[in-house]
Amino acid sequence: MIPTRTETLSLTDGRELRLTVAEPENAVRGGLVVLHEARGVTDTVRGLVSGLAAEGWLAVAPHLYDEVSGEDAPAMVSGLSGEDVLADTDVAFVWLGQQGVSQDRMGVMGFDLGGSVAMVVAGSRTIGAAVTVGGGGILEPLADGLPSLVEVAEELTCPWLGLYGDDDTDIPFGDVEKLRDAAAAAPVATDVVRFSHTDHRFDTTPEVGAEAWQRALNWFDSHLR
């Protein structure tokens, strides 16, 4: 397993931003910004960053906020704003550029909260590709400062893949279909894949979500060249 490290960057506005990073052992295929779940950069997120590095991607996860317990997560999510999220992801993209990754070889992905934020980024920034895994807030925003995903869908500026599970009680089947229809109107390639069981998740064990994991990798392989 490729180790991760955490860097702390001092920003021009006086803030500090932590980045959890994993680097491929050999040639770098491109760079991926990984957006964390509602609890923050957990061991699961670090495992995802490490797994992407093992596939040849320079992976970096900005800490949108500190890791919190499950019961504290809703309050942290509700305080997010699109402006702050984009500012932090911009820092991660700049970091990738400083490591020699060109813009067309940069992508973004996330699950849970991070999946929603990844789509917001994909509708606001010019990058190579994006993947959302189980992102909520489709019809109603997750926070007052964030747009709904159906609002973002037609504004997508890069190829976007959405992976959703029919067993996810927090995200209604009908909402996913509305997101599919909205994304189909975007001027870029889009796809929404629904799974009938937990194989849409790859945030627990390597065996769970193998198909979703492979679809995400294939999406980046196809669009980040």
Side-chain angles (χ1 to χ4, degrees):
M1 186 173 182
I2 293 181
T4 64
R5 69 177 189 275
T6 298
E7 300 183 3
T8 300
L9 304 182
S10 296
L11 308 183
T12 56
D13 61 3
R15 294 186 302 124
E16 290 186 338
L17 178 66
R18 289 190 296 160
L19 303 176
T20 291
V21 177
E23 301 182 32
E25 294 178 344
N26 300 306
V28 175
R29 305 172 65 180
L32 298 177
V33 173
V34 178
L35 296 169
H36 61 68
E37 59 177 303
R39 291 178 297 149
V41 177
T42 60
D43 287 342
T44 296
V45 177
R46 284 184 280 272
L48 178 56
V49 170
S50 176
L52 290 169
E55 296 291 336
W57 301 100
L58 178 57
V60 53
H63 295 229
L64 304 179
Y65 49 75
D66 293 335
E67 184 176 347
V68 297
S69 65
E71 62 184 19
D72 293 330
M76 299 301 294
V77 172
S78 65
L80 285 177
S81 73
E83 181 178 342
D84 290 343
V85 164
L86 290 172
D88 289 347
T89 53
D90 282 348
V91 172
F93 287 128
V94 168
W95 186 90
L96 287 173
Q98 292 171 339
Q99 314 312 309
V101 179
S102 60
Q103 194 172 43
D104 61 337
R105 293 190 301 125
M106 294 182 189
V108 62
M109 74 175 302
F111 63 90
D112 184 48
L113 165 68
S116 305
V117 174
M119 191 172 185
V120 173
V121 173
S124 306
R125 296 294 184 264
T126 303
I127 53 175
V131 174
T132 288
V133 184
I138 294 177
L139 301 184
E140 297 294 331
L142 291 177
D144 290 342
L146 294 173
S148 67
L149 298 192
V150 290
E151 290 178 67
V152 174
E154 294 185 18
E155 301 174 358
L156 289 168
T157 61
C158 69
W160 171 79
L161 170 66
L163 302 173
Y164 286 89
D166 289 348
D167 61 337
D168 192 334
T169 57
D170 294 329
I171 304 176
F173 165 89
D175 289 9
V176 176
E177 289 305 299
K178 289 177 181 177
L179 182 60
R180 182 199 302 275
D181 292 342
V188 293
T190 65
D191 192 14
V192 173
V193 179
R194 291 185 18 246
F195 297 87
S196 59
H197 47 81
T198 53
D199 270 1
H200 76 293
R201 305 286 296 200
F202 42 77
D203 58 334
T204 50
T205 67
E207 292 75 23
V208 174
E211 183 180 351
W213 174 250
Q214 194 57 55
R215 282 181 178 271
L217 294 177
N218 291 346
W219 191 259
F220 289 127
D221 286 343
S222 297
H223 297 290
L224 301 183
R225 296 179 178 274

